[in-house]
Amino acid sequence: MSHSGMRSSSTSYRRTFGAPVLSPLSYSSSSRLSTSRHLGSPSPGPSSRSSAYRVRSSTPIRVSVDRVDFSVADAINQEFLTTRSNEKAEMQELNDRFASFIEKVRYLEQQNAVLVTEINQARSKEPTRAADLCQQELRELRRQLDLLAKDRDNIQVDRDNLAEDLSFLKQR
């Protein structure tokens, strides 16, 4: 059902039947009639039209019955109906895919909303806990700093005492 080779900017009607041509039975003043139409080959442009003429609104066109080939018309009609049913099936498939994408987007939006609320809850809890942890760590480091300062002072006193003892022993 995929027409990957036939995808283009024109519609399948134009691919099948070429540029639109007004009916030869219309009575407008600028109607054109394409007389060189072949089954399965779309009209590429004005170069394939062998005769184009103006129809006056006051003069009706008379089409002789012996020129109309109903087998070609039936074949074109069948091809059009097939193309139309294929287009309908493609549109239904694309519509189903589009609906599934919409459902997926809605689901992801719901998940996103849940995650946003979880993030907001975590942020509201985190600063108090983080601040408490930081304060506790600072207290511990200050306590260790005080202990080290006391140890340093004791070691300096011991050093000074040993230096005095050494100088006393040297004098003896």
Side-chain angles (χ1 to χ4, degrees):
M1 204 177 334
S2 70
H3 297 285
S4 61
M6 297 177 74
R7 290 186 187 204
S8 67
S9 63
S10 67
T11 63
S12 61
Y13 178 85
R14 287 187 186 212
R15 284 193 305 264
T16 304
F17 299 107
V21 176
L22 297 176
S23 169
L25 299 178
S26 67
Y27 297 117
S28 67
S29 62
S30 64
S31 294
R32 292 184 179 205
L33 173 64
S34 174
T35 59
S36 64
R37 190 70 62 177
H38 300 290
L39 177 65
S41 63
S43 175
S47 63
S48 70
R49 294 182 181 167
S50 62
S51 67
Y53 56 89
R54 287 194 126 150
V55 178
R56 293 190 181 152
S57 61
S58 63
T59 308
I61 295 178
R62 292 187 179 97
V63 178
S64 63
V65 178
D66 60 346
R67 281 215 226 150
V68 178
D69 187 6
F70 289 112
S71 64
V72 173
D74 281 341
I76 290 174
N77 190 27
Q78 286 300 321
E79 186 176 338
F80 174 75
L81 291 175
T82 303
T83 302
R84 182 76 174 159
S85 64
N86 287 344
E87 285 177 346
K88 184 177 179 183
E90 284 181 35
M91 289 300 288
Q92 288 173 344
E93 179 186 349
L94 290 173
N95 194 23
D96 292 342
R97 287 178 57 197
F98 184 62
S100 69
F101 286 137
I102 289 174
E103 289 175 15
K104 190 172 187 178
V105 166
R106 286 184 182 153
Y107 173 75
L108 291 174
E109 285 175 346
Q110 289 174 349
Q111 293 297 321
N112 192 23
V114 168
L115 290 174
V116 166
T117 55
E118 286 179 7
I119 287 173
N120 288 337
Q121 288 175 352
R123 283 183 181 165
S124 66
K125 291 179 183 177
E126 188 176 319
T128 58
R129 194 180 83 181
D132 291 343
L133 289 174
C134 186
Q135 291 299 325
Q136 183 180 1
E137 186 71 22
L138 279 174
R139 281 192 293 268
E140 179 64 25
L141 290 173
R142 284 184 183 138
R143 187 184 64 77
Q144 289 177 2
L145 184 64
D146 288 341
L147 288 175
L148 288 173
K150 286 179 184 177
D151 286 345
R152 183 196 64 195
D153 291 343
N154 287 337
I155 290 173
Q156 284 177 351
V157 168
D158 288 342
R159 181 195 63 183
D160 291 342
N161 288 339
L162 288 174
E164 283 180 20
D165 288 343
L166 182 65
S167 68
F168 179 71
L169 287 174
K170 281 184 181 180
Q171 285 178 357
R172 268 182 145 186

